[in-house]
């Protein structure tokens, strides 16, 4: 009897140990981050806008938390996304603008932290402004940027985008391969960014409000992703964050797009958070920053937040009815400073006010004047003084002894692409982040800025004469403007008015002697005027200023050839391919020159490399055919000549 009771005891204990009867362990949640570029909160249905249909974003808000007062710390795509994924302000990350900075590899990102937790990590990017070369690919196993920096030489880098439906296609394809493991997916939709060109039927439905049409199109892509998550049974266990990176001014304060000012037209963004298991709408009225999103996700996943993260977790606000503590939010734009040598702008936003530090400071009562049209700085000196002190405290709190961003490290292909657009080195301003109140106030330069922006757009569309007229008009206000003279030089060069181009680039270097891009362009302009000695001297100086400029080395070689300085030309061509090993044009030039010198074997190596890099270039095939014939490899030479003839335009 006792033994049977003993057996029964073991049998019961055995039941407890049967694996199939264990309490189910809930798997760690998946994470989906959807960023919609240039998205104003007040242009979504769930934020009260009646002139648009955004059913998918609205439905997400109906099943999650809608943050009513979320703000970006900087209204520029790259630094705003840096804030989202690192939880830090530009004062620490060093990512103030789009000027050749790269995120420091030592700085943790949401992706790098979750990858260490065993997550599959994928990102699909809608615009080259977030190309992996800027560092936001850190931690992603899959980072779909794949932009071709060799094409569209006259178009703006920011126009190098892919439509949202293609982004969603790639995102869903990746998800199809990775949804069985826990995952982080970032889908970046760029469509609402200027210029506004929504596809049909949105182009017709919103023909008088094309910006809204782009948002409606983006909403449809959000719907595709949400539908997939629900169809695969993933939605309930997926933490979804949908956010804008910054807004769009749409003409408010005289600014058509974003980046120049820091009014709430460009700082206020929509943020919607769907927590796993949540199915009821919640609104969060407290002030929050995009820097808060990374720590919120990590806390929700019970993952330790990296020590340098500056944002605050919002999890308590999202899950309880408890009010949050009053916040002071920091924002900045350094675009006027870095590109035009006008003053930067910094601000602090509170529940009631926004204070903007500028040469002419601004204070706005946001409750009484949400459009920020009435500057109360002179009327409310005490409030202004208090907020100015708070802003100073925030800058000190968020600043590092040394900003983390790397100032170099971009590969030559991207640098060349940026240079061709006047981007990375398009900087007539100061790289310093120390405030200089003697600089012009951006408020006094907005018309000049928009005039220059129009001129740049004209130039990108080949309308160089129109562009030149606008830049010349802008010079009346800014006669010593480095970027205006630089852009004029580019226009005159493209108009083949090389003497005028020389004059403008020389003026740039009088104002900014170490401006490498202007030095490089001046060297090209000297060569076009036939002043080869000056061209050689200037291009050599350009290489001293920037040793990564393979195009300067190549053009130096071309000028040496004009002077029949063959060994020097060969050395310069070789330097171009040493700087950038995948530079097909440099390999071809070096191969042709070596063949001319009778160095057939060296020539063959260079020309084979050129053909490998640019298989559709008929000139490389033709040159390789000549080298093969010189080596006596006639059959192969005939084959290469046939390829050259096939590739030549009829």
């Amino acid at each position: 009897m006792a033994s049977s009771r003993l057996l029964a005891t073991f049998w019961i204990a055995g039941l407890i140990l049967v694996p199939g009867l264990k309490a189910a362990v809930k798997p760690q949640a998946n994470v989906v981050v959807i960023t919609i570029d240039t998205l104003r909160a007040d242009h979504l249905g769930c934020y009260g806008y009646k002139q648009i249909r955004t059913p998918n974003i609205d439905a997400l808000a109906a099943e999650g938390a809608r943050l009513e007062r979320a703000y970006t710390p900087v209204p520029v795509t790259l630094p705003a996304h840096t804030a989202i994924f690192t939880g830090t302000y530009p004062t620490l990350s060093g990512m103030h603008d789009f000027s050749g900075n790269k995120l420091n590899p030592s700085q943790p990102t949401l992706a790098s932290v979750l990858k260490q937790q065993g997550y599959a990590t994928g990102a699909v990017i809608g615009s080259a402004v977030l190309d992996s070369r800027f560092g936001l690919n850190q931690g992603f196993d899959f980072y779909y940027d794949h932009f071709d920096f060799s094409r569209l030489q006259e178009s703006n880098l920011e126009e190098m985008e892919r439509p949202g439906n293609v982004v969603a296609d790639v995102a869903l394809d990746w998800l199809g391969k990775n949804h069985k493991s826990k995952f982080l997916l970032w889908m970046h939709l760029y469509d609402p960014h200027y210029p506004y060109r929504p596809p049909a039927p949105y182009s017709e439905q919103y023909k008088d409000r094309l910006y809204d049409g782009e948002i409606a199109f983006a909403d449809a892509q959000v719907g595709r992703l949400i539908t997939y998550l629900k169809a695969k049974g993933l939605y309930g266990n997926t933490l979804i964050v949908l956010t804008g990176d910054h807004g769009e001014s749409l003409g408010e304060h005289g600014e058509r797009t974003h980046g120049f000012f820091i009014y709430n037209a460009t700082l206020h963004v929509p943020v919607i958070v769907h927590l796993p298991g949540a199915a009821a709408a919640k609104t969060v009225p407290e002030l929050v920053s995009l820097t808060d999103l990374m720590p919120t996700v990590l806390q929700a996943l019970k993952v330790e937040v990296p020590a340098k993260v500056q944002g605050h977790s919002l999890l308590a606000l999202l899950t309880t009815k408890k009010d949050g503590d009053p916040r002071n939010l920091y924002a900045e734009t350094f675009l006027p400073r870095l590109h035009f040598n006008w003053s930067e702008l910094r601000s602090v936003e509170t529940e009631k006010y926004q204070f903007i530090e500028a040469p002419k400071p601004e204070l706005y009562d946001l409750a009484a004047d949400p459009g920020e049209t009435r500057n109360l700085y002179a009327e409310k000196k005490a409030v202004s003084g208090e907020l100015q002190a708070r802003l100073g405290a925030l800058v000190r709190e968020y600043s590092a002894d040394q900003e983390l961003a790397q100032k170099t490290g971009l590969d030559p292909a991207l640098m060349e692409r940026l240079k061709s657009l006047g981007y990375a080195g398009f900087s007539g301003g100061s790289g310093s982040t120390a405030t200089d109140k003697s600089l012009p106030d951006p408020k006094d330069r907005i018309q000049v800025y928009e005039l220059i922006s129009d001129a740049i757009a004209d130039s990108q569309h080949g309308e160089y004469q129109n562009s030149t007229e606008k830049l010349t008009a802008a010079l009346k206000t800014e006669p010593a403007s480095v970027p205006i003279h630089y852009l004029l030089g580019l226009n005159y060069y493209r108009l083949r008015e090389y003497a005028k181009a020389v004059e403008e680039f020389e003026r740039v270097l009088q104002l900014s002697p170490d401006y490498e891009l202007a030095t490089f362009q001046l060297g090209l302009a000297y060569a076009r005027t036939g002043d080869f000695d000056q061209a050689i001297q200037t291009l050599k100086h350009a290489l001293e200023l920037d040793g990564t400029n393979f195009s300067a080395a190549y053009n130096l070689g071309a000028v040496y050839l004009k002077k029949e300085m063959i060994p020097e030309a060969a050395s310069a061509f070789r330097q171009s391919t040493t700087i950038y090993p995948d530079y097909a044009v440099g390999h071809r030039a070096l191969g042709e020159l070596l063949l001319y010198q009778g160095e057939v074997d060296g020539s063959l190596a260079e020309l084979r490399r050129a053909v490998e890099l640019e298989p559709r270039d008929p000139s490389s095939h033709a040159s390789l055919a000549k080298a093969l014939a010189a080596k006596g490899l006639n059959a192969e030479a005939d084959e290469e000549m046939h390829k050259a003839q096939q590739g030549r335009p009829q």
Side-chain angles (χ1 to χ4, degrees), residues 524-547:
L524 298 184
Y526 277 138
R528 291 291 190 177
T529 64
D531 192 343
F532 300 134
D533 290 335
Q534 282 280 27
I536 289 169
Q537 180 181 335
T538 307
L539 290 169
K540 287 171 72 174
H541 185 47
L543 279 163
E544 291 169 359
L545 292 170
D546 178 7

Side-chain angles (χ1 to χ4, degrees), residues 267-323:
L267 296 185
H268 186 207
V269 292
V271 174
I272 297 166
V273 181
H274 169 266
L275 293 173
K282 178 180 176 64
T283 58
V284 177
E286 285 85 358
L287 292 175
V288 301
S289 168
L290 291 187
T291 59
D292 300 334
L293 297 181
M294 180 213 193
T296 301
V297 171
L298 293 180
Q299 188 184 15
L301 299 176
K302 296 181 172 58
V303 173
E304 184 178 356
V305 178
K308 287 188 176 179
V309 167
Q310 297 172 319
H312 301 182
S313 172
L314 306 174
L315 193 61
L317 290 179
L318 300 176
T319 56
T320 69
K321 294 183 179 180
K322 180 183 176 183
D323 293 337

Side-chain angles (χ1 to χ4, degrees), residues 162-451:
R162 58 175 57 93
N165 59 304
V166 176
V167 172
D169 288 346
V170 178
L172 292 175
D173 180 69
W174 182 85
L175 203 49
K177 298 170 184 174
N178 292 275
H179 72 270
K180 292 183 179 178
S181 59
K182 59 184 180 181
F183 60 82
L184 161 67
L185 171 64
W186 170 25
M187 183 170 79
H188 169 243
L189 299 171
Y190 193 69
D191 304 272
H193 197 284
Y194 182 85
Y196 318 127
R197 296 177 294 211
Y202 307 96
S203 55
E204 285 301 313
Q205 294 171 1
Y206 297 92
K207 61 183 178 181
D208 298 323
R209 302 188 314 282
L210 294 177
Y211 172 68
D212 289 351
E214 293 275 35
I215 295 170
F217 173 62
D219 176 81
Q221 311 317 312
V222 172
R224 292 175 61 196
L225 178 54
I226 300 298
T227 298
Y228 183 93
L229 293 172
K230 290 181 175 179
K232 291 292 184 181
L234 300 167
Y235 181 79
N237 193 41
T238 298
L239 194 168
I240 302 172
V241 177
L242 184 146
T243 180
D245 61 339
H246 54 73
E248 187 79 317
S249 200
L250 300 176
E252 293 185 36
H253 304 279
E255 182 183 24
R256 280 176 291 182
T257 56
H258 59 271
F260 194 72
F261 286 141
I262 47 174
Y263 300 109
N264 282 336
T266 58
L267 296 185
H268 186 207
V269 292
V271 174
I272 297 166
V273 181
H274 169 266
L275 293 173
K282 178 180 176 64
T283 58
V284 177
E286 285 85 358
L287 292 175
V288 301
S289 168
L290 291 187
T291 59
D292 300 334
L293 297 181
M294 180 213 193
T296 301
V297 171
L298 293 180
Q299 188 184 15
L301 299 176
K302 296 181 172 58
V303 173
E304 184 178 356
V305 178
K308 287 188 176 179
V309 167
Q310 297 172 319
H312 301 182
S313 172
L314 306 174
L315 193 61
L317 290 179
L318 300 176
T319 56
T320 69
K321 294 183 179 180
K322 180 183 176 183
D323 293 337
D325 296 328
R327 294 280 297 275
N328 300 310
L329 298 186
Y330 171 79
E332 66 168 46
T333 179
F334 275 75
L335 185 153
R337 178 74 174 269
L338 295 173
H339 295 281
F340 298 97
N341 207 34
W342 302 330
S343 178
E344 76 283 0
L345 300 171
R346 299 182 193 257
S347 77
V348 58
E349 181 138 354
T350 69
E351 289 289 338
K352 183 173 175 59
Y353 295 105
Q354 179 169 212
F355 171 78
I356 300 174
E357 188 167 58
K360 292 187 282 189
E362 300 166 69
L363 176 72
Y364 297 101
D365 183 333
L366 300 174
D369 179 24
E372 296 169 290
T373 60
R374 186 181 174 204
N375 183 1
L376 301 177
Y377 177 76
E379 297 176 33
K380 293 183 176 288
K381 285 289 189 181
V383 174
S384 298
E386 179 187 346
L387 293 183
Q388 191 164 21
R390 287 192 203 177
L391 177 58
L394 289 177
V395 171
R396 289 189 294 274
E397 177 185 353
Y398 295 145
S399 296
D401 292 335
Q402 183 174 358
E403 293 179 350
L404 297 177
Q406 296 180 336
K407 301 300 181 183
T408 58
L410 298 179
D411 71 40
L414 176 60
M415 287 303 293
E416 185 64 15
R417 180 74 185 106
L418 295 174
K419 288 169 183 174
S420 74
L421 304 170
Y423 236 113
F426 170 65
S427 99
S430 165
S432 170
T433 56
T435 297
D436 181 352
K437 292 186 177 180
S438 68
L439 296 174
D441 192 310
K443 293 187 292 295
D444 297 330
R445 294 294 185 270
I446 182 60
Q447 291 179 327
V448 177
Y449 171 70
E450 292 293 351
L451 190 59

